[in-house]
Amino acid sequence: MGVPGPFPGSPGRPDAPVPDREEVDRALERLGAEYEAIETSLLALQDHAGRRLLEGAELSGTTKERWAAAERSITVLWSLFDAYTAALESARELRERRRWPSAEDLAELTELLHGEGVTVPGAAAADGAPEDGPARPGERFSLEGLVARMNGLYARSLDVIVAADAVWSALPARIDLLSAELQRTRSLAHSVGVRPGEHPAGDDLERITEELLRLRERVIADPLAFWVSSSTGSSAPGGGRPDTGRYDRAARALEDIRREVAAVLDVRQDAERRLMQLRDVLSRADRTLTEARQARGEVLAKIAASEVPAVSGPSTALHEQLAAAADYRRRAQWHRLSPLLDSLEERAEDELHRARESLTAVTAPLAVRAELRGRLDAYRAKVARHGMAADPLLTERYDLARRMLWSAPCDLRAAEQAVWRYQRAAAEALVPQQLEGRGES
């Protein structure tokens, strides 16, 4: 509920000259309007929703201290207003004695309107004292000074009420909404195995739950502990904003957990496909290693004087972890399956790559022999095209190289030298024919 602003100031000055009848009537009319404005503000302050909440709450900390001071200020406000009302009624009664007031009446009215003729109770004066020093018990005020004192008390009281009401309006409802979202996330997390003691996100959910409970209790009991005053230096009551720092941190932490749970849900929905792909990759790796072992035996039987690397067996650890992943899926332990699948997918690809490299390394001597055979046959065909297939030297070197390459075990180093010698002899034999062909052209 809105509350009208501070009270207007009383007209005139203490040293003002004695007014005439019309000036007195105008002054009384202004005082009457001022009285109504003050009364409206005080009644609105009394009926403010924040004030009713403060009166009924079990407060603590800063709010308890400031509200106790505000309650005293509000009590003083009504005492000062009573004194102001009495002074205004006295001035009205004096004015209503005669239609045409005498000089003495006007002088007395001047004192009532502009002088320090209002006496307030000592307790009221002390509680409403300005910050630069205490008021004297039974201190006398002018109407203008009385309004200034009420303005200060009103602003300080309203500041407490508005700030507390703003915090209560902003934070508890948001905390309740976040708590409801947390419960939904918690239920979903439990369904996929994200539980306290079993998954870090489950522990985080418990921590956030406790944090929101503590936060709500503190906000209800001490709302002013969550109020940040305006940094602009504004003196307006309620200048500032609720401090949502703790709430915002809890909201961000819950969002992180929601993403974690969503990732686990994705794993659950996609687990079978990923497990099948993992089985396929590891199966291909195993078959490749089997092929490499068989090829190694063939190489050792067919190739002599060649270093053939050993071939390891399938990765027992990977197969055990794959079995564990399948077990996690059967038991719906998705939070454990998720990181294991991520690790297995990367390591299974590495295993397939290793198996392929092993097969390549083992079969390298066979590839070299096949390349030498192809080169030998290519030069043999070239020699035949030039009509030199029957050349005794070339035939001898070709037969030697061929016997080496097609015998088992094959000495690759010796066979390579034999192919090179045949290749050089063929090149030398072909040079005269090539020169003769250029001369005829």
Side-chain angles (χ1 to χ4, degrees):
M1 174 187 296
V3 177
F7 319 130
S10 295
R13 303 181 306 277
D15 56 349
V18 176
D20 57 22
R21 179 176 63 86
E22 293 180 355
E23 290 176 333
V24 167
D25 289 343
R26 287 194 296 271
L28 286 173
E29 184 177 355
R30 288 193 297 271
L31 286 171
E34 180 181 274
Y35 170 85
E36 292 179 1
I38 295 173
E39 184 180 40
T40 299
S41 295
L42 288 176
L43 291 174
L45 183 67
Q46 194 75 11
D47 198 43
H48 195 287
R51 183 182 188 276
R52 293 198 299 271
L53 289 172
L54 283 165
E55 286 182 331
E58 294 184 6
L59 303 175
S60 64
T62 302
T63 306
K64 183 177 182 179
E65 296 176 2
R66 292 188 62 188
W67 174 237
E71 281 190 307
R72 292 193 297 270
S73 295
I74 292 172
T75 300
V76 172
L77 263 173
W78 282 105
S79 297
L80 296 179
F81 179 68
D82 289 342
Y84 183 89
T85 302
L88 177 59
E89 289 178 352
S90 296
R92 283 174 172 171
E93 289 174 0
L94 178 59
R95 174 65 187 87
E96 290 171 357
R97 289 177 187 174
R98 300 181 183 85
R99 182 178 179 183
W100 302 99
S102 64
E104 290 78 8
D105 291 339
L106 290 175
E108 188 174 351
L109 283 169
T110 299
E111 178 60 25
L112 284 173
L113 295 176
H114 303 298
E116 295 182 349
V118 183
T119 303
V120 299
D127 283 346
E131 295 181 358
D132 56 357
R136 298 184 300 276
E139 183 180 357
R140 298 173 64 83
F141 291 87
S142 66
L143 290 178
E144 184 177 6
L146 197 60
V147 171
R149 184 62 55 82
M150 285 192 289
N151 273 335
L153 294 170
Y154 174 86
R156 289 195 293 274
S157 303
L158 183 61
D159 185 67
V160 172
I161 293 171
V162 169
D165 188 49
V167 172
W168 278 334
S169 298
L171 275 175
R174 295 173 70 180
I175 293 172
D176 290 343
L177 288 173
L178 189 62
S179 296
E181 179 62 29
L182 185 146
Q183 291 306 317
R184 289 191 292 271
T185 303
R186 190 176 184 179
S187 176
L188 182 61
H190 280 214
S191 71
V192 296
V194 179
R195 301 183 180 92
E198 298 181 8
H199 192 282
D203 298 332
D204 290 341
L205 276 172
E206 290 299 303
R207 179 183 56 78
I208 297 173
T209 300
E210 295 173 0
E211 166 65 6
L212 289 180
L213 287 174
R214 291 194 300 269
L215 179 59
R216 195 181 195 285
E217 291 175 358
R218 180 80 187 282
V219 167
I220 295 301
D222 191 9
L224 295 184
F226 297 87
W227 182 254
V228 180
S229 298
S230 174
S231 59
T232 61
S234 172
S235 60
R241 59 174 179 80
D243 180 6
T244 61
R246 285 177 62 179
Y247 166 87
D248 293 337
R249 286 191 293 273
R252 287 193 297 270
L254 180 58
E255 183 59 29
D256 291 340
I257 294 174
R258 288 178 61 187
R259 286 195 291 269
E260 176 70 19
V261 173
V264 173
L265 278 172
D266 290 340
V267 171
R268 183 177 71 174
Q269 294 169 358
D270 210 24
E272 187 58 36
R273 180 189 62 81
R274 295 177 71 183
L275 281 170
M276 289 180 62
Q277 288 181 343
L278 276 169
R279 292 189 187 100
D280 178 64
V281 171
L282 287 180
S283 177
R284 281 187 285 152
D286 291 348
R287 290 196 302 271
T288 303
L289 288 174
T290 299
E291 184 181 351
R293 285 193 297 274
Q294 293 173 348
R296 185 173 188 271
E298 181 182 353
V299 169
L300 291 175
K302 295 181 177 180
I303 306 297
S306 177
E307 294 180 1
V308 183
V311 179
S312 64
S315 173
T316 303
L318 285 179
H319 284 278
E320 290 176 350
Q321 289 179 350
L322 182 60
D327 185 59
Y328 287 157
R329 184 189 180 282
R330 284 192 298 272
R331 299 187 182 192
Q333 295 179 327
W334 311 110
H335 62 292
R336 293 182 176 176
L337 179 58
S338 175
L340 181 55
L341 284 179
D342 292 340
S343 172
L344 274 175
E345 285 170 342
E346 181 177 353
R347 294 176 63 192
E349 289 294 336
D350 291 342
E351 178 69 4
L352 179 57
H353 180 69
R354 181 182 70 84
R356 287 170 173 168
E357 286 185 334
S358 182
L359 178 60
T360 300
V362 165
T363 57
L366 294 177
V368 171
R369 189 185 66 172
E371 190 275 331
L372 290 174
R373 285 176 173 181
R375 194 194 315 171
L376 180 65
D377 288 343
Y379 270 89
R380 174 68 171 175
K382 187 174 182 181
V383 167
R385 285 198 305 271
H386 287 81
M388 300 182 65
D391 183 277
L393 178 61
L394 293 179
T395 300
E396 178 188 354
R397 291 191 177 182
Y398 172 78
D399 290 341
L400 177 62
R402 192 176 190 285
R403 281 195 305 271
M404 288 184 176
L405 287 173
W406 267 267
S407 63
C410 172
D411 187 337
L412 277 182
R413 293 186 179 88
E416 184 177 11
Q417 289 296 322
V419 171
W420 181 80
R421 285 194 297 272
Y422 174 74
Q423 181 180 338
R424 185 177 61 180
E428 291 175 351
L430 291 174
V431 169
Q433 291 197 3
Q434 290 172 348
L435 293 176
E436 183 179 346
R438 291 196 191 96
E440 292 176 353
S441 62

